[in-house]
C-alpha cells in the first residue's frame, strides 16, 4: 500500500514495466468488471515478453540490457533522488 500510496480498498491496479493503470471508478461489481475486461485482457509489456511492447518500449528495454549493474544502480539512485525531490516539492505546495 505504501509503495503505490493506496488510500482506499478495494484498489485495483494493473500494469507492467512501463505503465500502471489505477482504477478510480465506482466500486460496484459491474464497473469493476468493465475495467478488468478492458485492462486485464491487454498483453503486458515486459523485458521477458518484448513482443508485447511497442517499438519505443522495445528500444528502452534493449538500451537498458546493454547497461552494467553499476550503471543500472546509478540510474535507479538518480530516479529515486528525483522522486524524493518531487514528493518534497509536492508536500511543500500542499502546506
Amino acid at each position: 500500500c505504501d509503495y503505490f500510496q493506496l488510500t482506499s480498498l478495494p484498489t485495483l491496479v494493473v500494469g507492467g514495466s512501463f505503465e500502471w493503470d489505477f482504477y478510480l471508478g465506482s466500486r460496484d461489481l459491474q464497473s469493476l468488471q468493465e475495467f478488468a475486461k478492458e485492462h486485464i485482457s491487454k498483453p503486458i509489456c515486459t523485458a521477458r515478453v518484448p513482443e508485447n511492447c511497442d517499438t519505443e518500449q522495445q528500444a528502452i528495454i534493449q538500451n537498458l540490457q546493454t547497461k552494467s549493474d553499476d550503471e543500472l544502480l546509478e540510474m535507479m539512485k538518480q530516479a529515486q533522488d528525483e522522486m524524493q525531490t518531487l514528493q518534497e516539492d509536492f508536500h511543500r505546495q500542499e502546506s
Side-chain angles (χ1 to χ4, degrees), residues 3 16 19 22 41 43 66 75 82 90:
Y3 180 79
E19 185 178 324
F22 290 83
S41 62
T66 67
M75 290 173 70
E82 288 175 28
F90 176 78

Side-chain angles (χ1 to χ4, degrees), residues 17-33:
S17 302
F18 292 95
E19 185 178 324
W20 293 94
D21 288 322
F22 290 83
Y23 177 72
L24 302 174
S26 174
R27 301 275 195 243
D28 64 277
L29 180 60
Q30 182 179 351
S31 298
L32 288 166
Q33 286 175 330

Side-chain angles (χ1 to χ4, degrees), residues 73-84:
L73 287 171
E74 180 59 29
M75 290 173 70
M76 184 177 71
K77 183 184 179 326
Q78 287 175 356
Q80 289 171 332
D81 290 346
E82 288 175 28
M83 282 295 295
Q84 181 67 34

Side-chain angles (χ1 to χ4, degrees), residues 15-93:
S17 302
F18 292 95
E19 185 178 324
W20 293 94
D21 288 322
F22 290 83
Y23 177 72
L24 302 174
S26 174
R27 301 275 195 243
D28 64 277
L29 180 60
Q30 182 179 351
S31 298
L32 288 166
Q33 286 175 330
E34 288 172 9
F35 178 83
K37 283 180 188 175
E38 181 181 334
H39 290 83
I40 295 176
S41 62
K42 291 192 285 186
I44 296 174
C45 170
T46 68
R48 291 185 184 194
V49 191
E51 59 270 14
N52 291 340
C53 306
D54 63 31
T55 305
E56 182 181 343
Q57 293 168 329
Q58 288 179 3
I60 291 169
I61 291 170
Q62 289 171 353
N63 182 357
L64 290 172
Q65 288 174 332
T66 67
K67 307 281 184 200
S68 69
D69 288 347
D70 289 339
E71 290 173 310
L72 292 171
L73 287 171
E74 180 59 29
M75 290 173 70
M76 184 177 71
K77 183 184 179 326
Q78 287 175 356
Q80 289 171 332
D81 290 346
E82 288 175 28
M83 282 295 295
Q84 181 67 34
T85 300
L86 290 170
Q87 287 177 340
E88 289 169 0
D89 290 346
F90 176 78
H91 290 297
R92 256 188 252 113
Q93 290 175 7

